[in-house]
Amino acid sequence: MEVENIQQEIKILLTKLDWSIPKLAEVIYVEKFDDDEAEDEVSAVKTFESKLKKQLSRKTTKTKLLEEYLIIISNHNDFSKLGLAIPYYVESKTLSATMEDGMRKISKLVTEMCIE
């Protein structure tokens, strides 16, 4: 999935969840980095929030990282309460390039239909 599409999907989910970027940063930080030994967790989350804002706007952000963020969001209790599913295609590496491209197009179409 293209970086811009994943970034857009994350932003749409933030709206549906009624979350802000700081809330998302906190959720992701706690899931990925919380070690209960941080001297100043508030400061660490703020630093991560700045990094996250950039990751959600840059075209150079790694797809795997954004997909990891989508998984963290989709595993959160607030997400499960909404009864939503994330309609994005993850490459299987077993299909031909033509089939992979077709699956990406179908996924994009489904996502656009869900947005409307």
Side-chain angles (χ1 to χ4, degrees):
M1 190 173 199
E2 293 179 29
V3 170
E4 293 91 3
N5 290 342
I6 300 173
Q7 291 167 331
Q8 179 185 9
E9 186 66 31
I10 290 172
K11 291 173 185 174
I12 290 167
L13 289 174
L14 288 178
T15 302
K16 290 185 179 200
L17 289 164
D18 196 26
W19 284 5
S20 60
I21 296 288
K23 169 69 176 177
L24 177 62
E26 180 184 347
V27 168
I28 293 173
Y29 182 85
V30 168
E31 181 69 27
K32 288 185 68 167
F33 307 111
D34 191 22
D35 59 4
D36 293 328
E37 294 181 19
E39 295 274 328
D40 189 7
E41 187 171 319
V42 174
S43 175
V45 171
K46 276 287 190 199
T47 302
F48 180 71
E49 178 185 332
S50 297
K51 187 176 177 181
L52 178 63
K53 283 180 186 177
K54 293 173 187 171
Q55 291 170 340
L56 293 178
S57 61
R58 290 188 178 147
K59 293 180 181 181
T60 56
T61 304
K62 294 186 180 190
T63 305
K64 290 278 185 201
L65 181 67
L66 294 172
E67 287 175 348
E68 184 180 351
Y69 292 168
L70 273 175
I71 290 168
I72 291 170
I73 293 168
S74 67
N75 288 333
H76 195 275
N77 288 336
D78 291 352
F79 182 85
S80 62
K81 290 176 187 174
L82 293 177
L84 298 174
I86 298 176
Y88 73 93
Y89 178 69
V90 178
E91 291 183 15
S92 67
K93 308 280 190 222
T94 58
L95 299 175
S96 69
T98 305
M99 288 296 293
E100 292 283 353
D101 187 51
M103 294 300 290
R104 266 192 294 295
K105 288 178 182 175
I106 292 169
S107 178
K108 184 175 181 180
L109 178 64
V110 170
T111 300
E112 288 170 358
M113 291 170 56
C114 291
I115 294 170
E116 297 171 358

